[in-house]
Protein backbone atom coordinates (compact mmCIF):
# COMPACT_ATOMS: atom_id res chain seq x y z
CA UNK A 1 0.00 0.00 0.00
CA UNK A 2 2.86 2.40 0.68
CA UNK A 3 4.07 2.00 -2.92
CA UNK A 4 0.63 3.01 -4.13
CA UNK A 5 0.50 6.08 -1.90
CA UNK A 6 4.06 7.07 -2.76
CA UNK A 7 3.39 6.79 -6.50
CA UNK A 8 0.17 8.80 -6.25
CA UNK A 9 2.03 11.44 -4.28
CA UNK A 10 4.87 11.51 -6.82
CA UNK A 11 2.39 11.96 -9.66
CA UNK A 12 0.51 14.73 -7.80
CA UNK A 13 3.65 16.65 -6.89
CA UNK A 14 5.07 16.45 -10.41
CA UNK A 15 1.72 17.47 -11.94
CA UNK A 16 1.43 20.48 -9.63
CA UNK A 17 5.02 21.54 -10.30
CA UNK A 18 4.61 21.08 -14.04
CA UNK A 19 1.31 22.86 -14.26
CA UNK A 20 -0.17 23.39 -17.66
CA UNK A 21 2.53 25.37 -19.40
CA UNK A 22 6.02 24.25 -20.25
CA UNK A 23 9.10 25.48 -18.49
CA UNK A 24 12.77 24.63 -18.13
CA UNK A 25 11.97 21.47 -16.15
CA UNK A 26 9.00 20.47 -18.29
CA UNK A 27 10.55 17.27 -19.66
CA UNK A 28 11.82 16.20 -16.21
CA UNK A 29 8.43 16.71 -14.58
CA UNK A 30 6.63 14.99 -17.43
CA UNK A 31 8.95 12.00 -17.05
CA UNK A 32 8.27 11.88 -13.30
CA UNK A 33 4.52 11.82 -13.97
CA UNK A 34 4.87 9.21 -16.71
CA UNK A 35 7.08 7.00 -14.55
CA UNK A 36 4.72 7.19 -11.58
CA UNK A 37 1.74 6.46 -13.84
CA UNK A 38 3.41 3.44 -15.45
CA UNK A 39 4.35 2.02 -12.07
CA UNK A 40 0.80 2.56 -10.81
CA UNK A 41 -0.51 0.56 -13.75
CA UNK A 42 1.59 -2.44 -12.70
CA UNK A 43 -0.16 -2.48 -9.32
CA UNK A 44 -3.47 -3.52 -10.84
CA UNK A 45 -7.05 -2.48 -10.34
CA UNK A 46 -6.68 -0.85 -6.89
CA UNK A 47 -4.05 1.50 -8.33
CA UNK A 48 -6.17 2.31 -11.38
CA UNK A 49 -9.09 3.11 -9.07
CA UNK A 50 -6.85 5.29 -6.87
CA UNK A 51 -5.50 7.12 -9.94
CA UNK A 52 -9.04 7.83 -11.14
CA UNK A 53 -9.89 9.15 -7.67
CA UNK A 54 -7.44 11.99 -8.40
CA UNK A 55 -10.20 13.41 -10.60
CA UNK A 56 -11.39 14.92 -7.31
CA UNK A 57 -8.00 16.32 -6.34
CA UNK A 58 -8.06 19.91 -5.05
CA UNK A 59 -5.36 20.96 -7.56
CA UNK A 60 -6.78 21.78 -11.01
CA UNK A 61 -3.57 20.76 -12.75
CA UNK A 62 -3.70 17.30 -11.17
CA UNK A 63 -7.35 16.90 -12.18
CA UNK A 64 -6.48 18.04 -15.70
CA UNK A 65 -3.60 15.61 -16.18
CA UNK A 66 -5.57 12.70 -14.73
CA UNK A 67 -8.62 13.53 -16.84
CA UNK A 68 -6.52 13.82 -20.00
CA UNK A 69 -5.02 10.38 -19.43
CA UNK A 70 -8.34 8.75 -18.55
CA UNK A 71 -10.05 10.34 -21.54
CA UNK A 72 -7.32 8.99 -23.82
CA UNK A 73 -8.35 5.54 -22.57
CA UNK A 74 -12.02 6.21 -23.30
CA UNK A 75 -12.94 6.69 -19.65
CA UNK A 76 -15.94 9.00 -19.72
CA UNK A 77 -15.53 9.91 -16.03
CA UNK A 78 -13.00 12.46 -17.30
CA UNK A 79 -15.54 14.48 -19.30
CA UNK A 80 -17.32 16.29 -16.44
CA UNK A 81 -13.96 17.16 -14.90
CA UNK A 82 -12.63 18.59 -18.15
CA UNK A 83 -15.83 20.54 -18.71
CA UNK A 84 -15.66 22.00 -15.21
CA UNK A 85 -12.00 22.93 -15.64
CA UNK A 86 -12.74 24.60 -18.96
CA UNK A 87 -15.30 26.81 -17.25
CA UNK A 88 -13.02 27.74 -14.38
CA UNK A 89 -9.82 28.57 -16.18
CA UNK A 90 -8.06 28.63 -19.50
CA UNK A 91 -6.21 25.40 -20.13
CA UNK A 92 -4.15 26.10 -23.25
CA UNK A 93 -1.98 23.06 -22.74
CA UNK A 94 -4.84 20.61 -22.45
CA UNK A 95 -4.97 19.96 -26.17
CA UNK A 96 -1.22 19.31 -26.21
CA UNK A 97 -1.35 16.65 -23.51
CA UNK A 98 -0.53 13.18 -24.66
CA UNK A 99 -0.97 9.81 -23.08
CA UNK A 100 1.41 9.26 -20.21
CA UNK A 101 2.09 5.71 -21.35
CA UNK A 102 3.46 6.87 -24.70
CA UNK A 103 7.11 6.08 -25.24
CA UNK A 104 7.39 7.54 -28.71
CA UNK A 105 7.11 11.18 -27.73
CA UNK A 106 9.44 12.93 -25.35
CA UNK A 107 8.54 15.99 -23.28
Amino acid sequence: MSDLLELLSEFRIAAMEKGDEGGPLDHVLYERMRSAYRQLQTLGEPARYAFAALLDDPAPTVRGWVAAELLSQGDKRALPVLRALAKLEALPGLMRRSRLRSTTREH
Side-chain angles (χ1 to χ4, degrees):
M1 181 61 108
S2 71
D3 284 347
L4 174 59
L5 296 177
E6 287 175 22
L7 290 169
L8 289 171
S9 179
E10 175 65 13
F11 182 91
R12 284 188 76 250
I13 291 167
M16 287 186 290
E17 289 177 4
K18 184 177 183 329
D20 197 50
E21 293 297 317
L25 295 177
D26 189 59
H27 66 286
V28 173
L29 294 169
Y30 181 85
E31 187 55 41
R32 282 176 47 197
M33 289 189 323
R34 187 171 70 167
S35 176
Y37 176 76
R38 284 181 167 177
Q39 291 177 64
L40 281 166
Q41 295 307 295
T42 68
L43 298 178
E45 193 62 31
R48 285 189 284 279
Y49 180 80
F51 182 77
L54 291 176
L55 288 170
D56 295 321
D57 194 87
T61 53
V62 173
R63 293 193 310 270
W65 280 105
V66 171
E69 176 56 29
L70 292 178
L71 187 62
S72 76
Q73 298 172 29
D75 191 328
K76 296 192 187 317
R77 292 177 293 178
L79 290 173
V81 173
L82 292 170
R83 287 182 186 124
L85 287 171
K87 289 178 184 176
L88 293 176
E89 59 187 286
L91 295 176
L94 181 61
M95 299 309 293
R96 294 190 303 266
R97 291 184 180 155
S98 63
R99 295 177 60 177
L100 294 171
R101 289 184 288 182
S102 173
T103 58
T104 59
R105 186 171 176 204
E106 292 187 27
H107 286 69

